[in-house]
Every structure is written in structure tokens, then in C-alpha cells.
Amino acid sequence: MLHLESTYSSLPAILYRPAKVLPVSAPRFVAVNQNLAKEIGLKPDWLLRVETLSLLSGSMESSAIAMAYAGHQFGHFVPSLGDGRAYLLGEIVGPDGVRRDLHLKGAGRTAYSRGGDGRATLKAMLREYIVSEAMAGLRIPTTRSLAVVATGEDVPRERLEPGAVLTRVARSHVRVGTFQYLAARGEDAAMAALIDYEVARNFPGAPEGPQRFLWFLTQVITRQAKLIAQWMCVGFIHGVMNTDNMSVCGETIDYGPCAFMDAFHPQKVFSSIDEYGRYAWDKQPTIALWNLTRLAEALLALFDVDRSVAIAQAEAELRKFLPAFETAFEAGMMRKFGQAAAQDGDGEFIAATLMAMTDGQADFTNFFVAISEKKNLRSFFNTEEVCAAWLRKWQAHVPAPDFALMNSVNPKFIARNHRVEQALEAAREGDLSLVEKLVYILAQPFAAHEGATDYANPPLADEVVHATFCGT
Ligand code: AMP
Ligand code: MG
């Protein structure tokens, strides 16, 4: 049997509640990630065992806990959220010495379910599986997906949907909202304990003493700045960057209505619940900063007994976020154009290019593939002249592009919405072959995958997916 630890349970009891086992009627694996299993130190046949199926469907007795958190959802503070349809099964330590959470999503009601049924749909769990593994393939920090188990039970949504449980693997499930939960209750001692816990797990090199709290904030800020830059360099839109969906260790978490852009537009939004474009592609840095400001507010009492001193310290750290983001974004974008080291004028060059791409409705991914492979660029621009002018601009700014670098950073394959939707619909009807093919390709998004042009092409007019749904 797998040895599951539970160090999170050593934290103050306000942070979690025991989770009940709720057996499901007919569990069946629909996706298993043997590569990840190996990476995190599970035995090769572990995912094939009957007791594993039982464990990962949430049907086996365990010391699982549902975690408490609060969160700003679309700007509104909800003091009590928590794992309403998920719980922490336990932790394992991999061959790399990294401790990872095994988390079950869709495993039934918990103390934090409020009005919800605690269940998740097969489509939503496979969606998270596909997109999180695509992000891992792109080398972007993310929670991972180990398995999806169909429960054999339907869950009522807009229509009846087959239910499923996802096993999520993460370096931590501590969110900005976890600290907000404690701050809203005046639990300063628990907050200090939680920071010490998270630092010991995921932030090596912390100073001793009280300055470690501000140091922690700085680290979280730095990691988020890099993460958001990485998202934007592949056209990723998270879609629901609420503070409860921001992991402090810097992993992308909570794949709901997230999507990759096809045709570039900076204000692109997919989520059907994001009416006002709060979480649009180009809003992600300012929203991340907004969320980090909420984190800083929650931690204030730990920075200094004098509130005004604490505020000044926090503000000084928060001011570093946008410059750190800009630096990471510009460096990431310039690598896509074949330039390894920053130089003057990068920002202007990127802005001018993005403007031309917007006008030409250029496919974000294929534009960079085309320049990496020296293909004809005409179709990405409105006119021959704009295209020629842009080429001259690129040549002037990057006279000797490093094509090997470009090929190593410009993916040929992203999780295109129309392919994801098609694969999920097929899975709902019992055909898993498209999900498997998609996951296979997206695990190696920089490889050529001869013959997979269907997966590289943007959608035809009648294939475009305009909105994605939270699909809880
Ligand atoms: P999410 O939109 O997935 O980030 O979830 C926001 C909050 O709603 C979290 O506290 C979830 O646990 C909770 N939630 C979402 N779906 C359900 C559900 N079906 N049953 C219970 N709680 C849910
Ligand atoms: Mg969430």
C-alpha cells in the first residue's frame, strides 16, 4: 500500500476539517498518467491496482482532510470557501525529495460544500487533466494530473453529466485565500505557522526571525510575476484568477474556464462567467498584483507591530511586481523572436508586433512557428506592406535570430479549444481515444508530430469555441 503522510494536519485545526469517505457506484479509470506516476516515485503497476482505483475514487478509508480558505471571487470577498468538492488525500515524497499533495477533486461533499453537491463532471475533470498536462509540457509551473476516475454516477448540471474524480498533484494547495481565511478571523499565530509550513516545503533559503514573513511575500510576488509572464508568452488565459485560485508556491492551479488563444487579441476572454473581462489576457498582471495586495493585507500584522510601518514595507515589495513581470515578459517574448539577452527597445518592438498581430488576427502560436521555421508570413498580416514592414522591423531589432532558441521556446501545439471540446464530447460518449491523442501530443508541444497538422491548425470558422464554462 501507498504510504500517505499528512503534515498539513499538524497545523492549527482551524485550517482543515476531516473529509468523509463517500464510495461511488462503479469506479473506472478513464485517464492514467504513468509518466507522472514514475516522476513522483509511484511503482510502475501502482495505477493498475484495484485498491488504487478505490483510493482515487474517494472510496477508501483514509485520513483525508478538506482545506479551509476564503477568497475574493470577481472582487467580492467570501470569508468562507474551502474545499467544497475536493480534499487532500495525503502527501508523498518523491525520489527528488519533493513533497507533493495528492488531492481528489469531485470526491463528494465536505464541511465546506455549502449548497454544492461536492461532485464534478467527467468533462471538467478531463479538461483539467488535458490543460494542466499541456502546461507541464510547456514547462510552466503547474499542478499536475495523475488520474481521472469515472464514478459511474451522473451529476445534475445543465444536463445530466457523467461524474468523475481527478487526482491532482501539487507542491502545495496553500492559496492566497488560505491566508485571507486566517486574517478574517484574527488568527495571527496560525498565520505564522502556515507561513513557516509553506516556507519549509517550498521556499528554501528563508532568513530566520520575524523578517521571514516579509521575505515570504517577496518570494510569492517574484514567482507570480514569472508565472504570469510565462502564461502570456503562450497565449494562456486562466479565466478565473480569484484569490482562492492563486497558489502561493507559484504553480498554476484550478483549471476551469481557462483557454489558449487562437487569433491574437490582447483583451481576449473566454470564460462565460467573466462578463466584464476582468481576467482578460492583458489584465492578468494587474489582477495578479491585486491578488498579491490582498495577500499582503492578510499578512500585515506579522510584518511589524506598527501598522503604518508594515504597510510601507508591504507597498515597497508590491511595487516590485510590475517591473518584475515586465522584465520576465519581455525576456520571454524576445526569446520567441530569437533574441537571448535583453536590449534597449525590446518593449517597443514587442508592443508594435502585438499591435500588428491584433490587426491581422494572427494565430498567436502559428505566427511564432512560422517565424521559427522561416515560413511565409503573409497570411498573418492584413497587407503585403504591413508584413514587409514588420519583417524589416524584426530584422533591424534582431539581426541574427537564434533559430534553435526559437524552436525550443515556440510550441507547435497548444490545447486548442476546439480540439479540447471535441475530445471531451467524445469522452462523454465513451470514446477516450481523442483525449489520449491530445494528451500525447501536448506532452511534447515542441516536437514535430508529423501528420498531426489537425492539432496545429487553428479552428475553421464553424469550429471556433467562443466561450468556455466553469463546468463545476
Ligand atoms: P472554483 O470555481 O472551482 O474555484 O470553486 C470555488 C468554490 O466553490 C470552492 O470553494 C469550491 O470548493 C466550491 N465548489 C465548486 N463546485 C462545487 C460543488 N459542485 N460542490 C461543492 N462546492 C463546490
Ligand atoms: Mg478554486
Side-chain angles (χ1 to χ4, degrees):
M1 258 321 284
L2 180 69
H3 175 59
L4 285 169
E5 297 178 22
S6 183
T7 57
Y8 202 79
S9 314
S10 67
L11 284 164
I14 188 169
L15 280 164
Y16 56 88
R17 299 279 289 275
K20 274 200 297 290
V21 176
L22 296 161
V24 297
S25 57
R28 173 173 65 87
F29 278 119
V30 287
V32 289
N33 192 341
Q34 289 291 6
N35 292 338
L36 177 62
K38 191 172 165 204
E39 210 177 305
I40 64 178
L42 297 169
K43 298 226 168 63
D45 67 338
W46 185 76
L47 274 172
L48 307 172
R49 294 186 201 158
V50 178
E51 68 262 28
T52 304
L53 179 62
S54 173
L55 182 73
L56 300 187
S57 66
S59 306
M60 202 187 271
E61 212 52 62
S62 71
S63 51
I65 51 174
M67 294 164 73
Y69 51 84
H72 273 91
Q73 300 192 302
F74 291 90
H76 302 286
F77 187 60
V78 186
S80 202
L81 286 168
D83 287 336
R85 55 156 172 167
Y87 54 69
L88 179 58
L89 195 57
E91 302 142 21
I92 55 170
V93 179
D96 50 6
V98 174
R99 177 177 297 276
R100 292 180 178 87
D101 289 353
L102 293 189
H103 206 84
L104 297 187
K105 189 164 173 179
R109 286 178 54 77
T110 72
Y112 307 108
S113 294
R114 297 169 291 157
D117 60 4
R119 292 295 178 189
T121 66
L122 174 71
K123 281 182 74 176
M125 295 306 94
L126 281 175
R127 190 164 210 286
E128 171 152 348
Y129 187 100
I130 294 167
V131 185
S132 63
E133 288 307 304
M135 292 294 264
L138 291 164
R139 303 186 288 260
I140 297 176
T142 177
T143 62
R144 303 286 305 269
S145 297
L146 183 63
V148 175
V149 176
T151 59
E153 295 166 7
D154 283 338
V155 290
R157 294 294 182 262
E158 264 172 36
R159 55 181 175 174
L160 274 186
E161 290 285 343
V165 177
L166 171 82
T167 307
R168 178 161 68 189
V169 177
R171 280 171 177 256
S172 157
H173 279 84
V174 175
R175 307 143 190 266
V176 169
T178 319
F179 292 99
Q180 291 182 293
Y181 185 86
L182 297 175
R185 289 159 180 79
E187 292 277 349
D188 293 351
M191 188 119 67
L194 182 62
I195 294 182
D196 288 341
Y197 174 85
E198 185 61 20
V199 163
R201 253 182 97 163
N202 289 310
F203 293 84
E208 299 280 320
Q211 69 268 40
R212 68 192 189 280
F213 302 125
L214 193 65
W215 179 90
F216 169 70
L217 176 68
T218 312
Q219 299 301 311
V220 178
I221 289 172
T222 310
R223 289 190 190 184
Q224 284 298 328
K226 287 189 186 144
L227 180 66
I228 309 294
Q230 282 182 287
W231 289 357
M232 290 175 66
C233 285
V234 293
F236 179 76
I237 302 160
H238 182 285
V240 56
M241 288 175 70
N242 295 330
T243 55
D244 51 307
N245 294 337
M246 187 184 259
S247 166
V248 293
C249 76
E251 288 181 335
T252 312
I253 192 171
D254 251 334
Y255 292 87
C258 58
F260 290 83
M261 269 194 276
D262 297 298
F264 179 73
H265 196 290
Q267 275 111 46
K268 187 74 195 163
V269 174
F270 285 99
S271 168
S272 57
I273 54 171
D274 189 2
E275 265 180 88
Y276 303 104
R278 180 179 168 92
Y279 302 139
W281 179 81
D282 67 348
K283 294 274 184 56
Q284 298 183 114
T286 46
I287 280 295
L289 175 59
W290 192 88
N291 290 349
L292 291 164
T293 308
R294 304 289 82 76
L295 175 65
E297 275 167 9
L299 305 184
L300 269 187
L302 301 179
F303 298 154
D304 199 286
V305 282
D306 182 335
R307 198 177 156 82
S308 58
V309 172
I311 290 174
Q313 287 177 337
E315 280 177 351
E317 297 311 311
L318 290 164
R319 269 197 294 277
K320 295 175 189 164
F321 175 82
L322 286 177
F325 161 76
E326 285 296 339
T327 304
F329 178 66
E330 288 182 9
M333 288 300 289
M334 287 317 298
R335 280 195 290 275
K336 294 172 81 70
F337 293 109
Q339 177 187 296
Q343 62 161 322
D344 282 350
D346 285 346
E348 291 77 11
F349 171 72
I350 294 164
T353 304
L354 292 180
M355 203 138 37
M357 289 175 75
T358 311
D359 288 345
Q361 299 183 359
D363 184 86
F364 188 75
T365 305
N366 289 354
F367 173 83
F368 288 102
V369 172
I371 64 169
S372 312
E373 296 179 350
K374 302 178 196 169
K375 283 188 191 150
N376 192 348
L377 284 180
R378 171 65 189 89
S379 67
F380 296 96
F381 295 96
N382 269 339
T383 66
E384 191 79 51
E385 291 69 40
V386 183
C387 179
W390 182 79
L391 269 171
R392 280 194 300 276
K393 205 173 273 180
W394 180 32
Q395 214 186 5
H397 193 68
V398 190
D402 179 344
F403 286 96
L405 172 66
M406 292 165 77
N407 279 307
S408 73
V409 297
N410 291 328
K412 295 179 179 62
F413 300 92
I414 52 158
R416 293 192 184 267
N417 299 312
H418 66 300
R419 291 287 166 233
V420 173
E421 272 313 308
Q422 182 190 39
L424 296 179
E425 246 338 284
R428 188 178 182 276
E429 302 306 320
D431 173 9
L432 291 161
S433 63
L434 293 181
V435 169
E436 283 161 14
K437 185 161 183 197
L438 198 52
V439 169
Y440 175 80
I441 291 170
L442 295 174
Q444 304 277 344
F446 304 101
H449 295 295
E450 300 297 342
T453 43
D454 275 5
Y455 288 84
N457 288 338
L460 300 171
D462 64 343
E463 291 175 327
V464 176
V465 175
H466 294 283
T468 50
F469 301 92
C470 232
T472 59

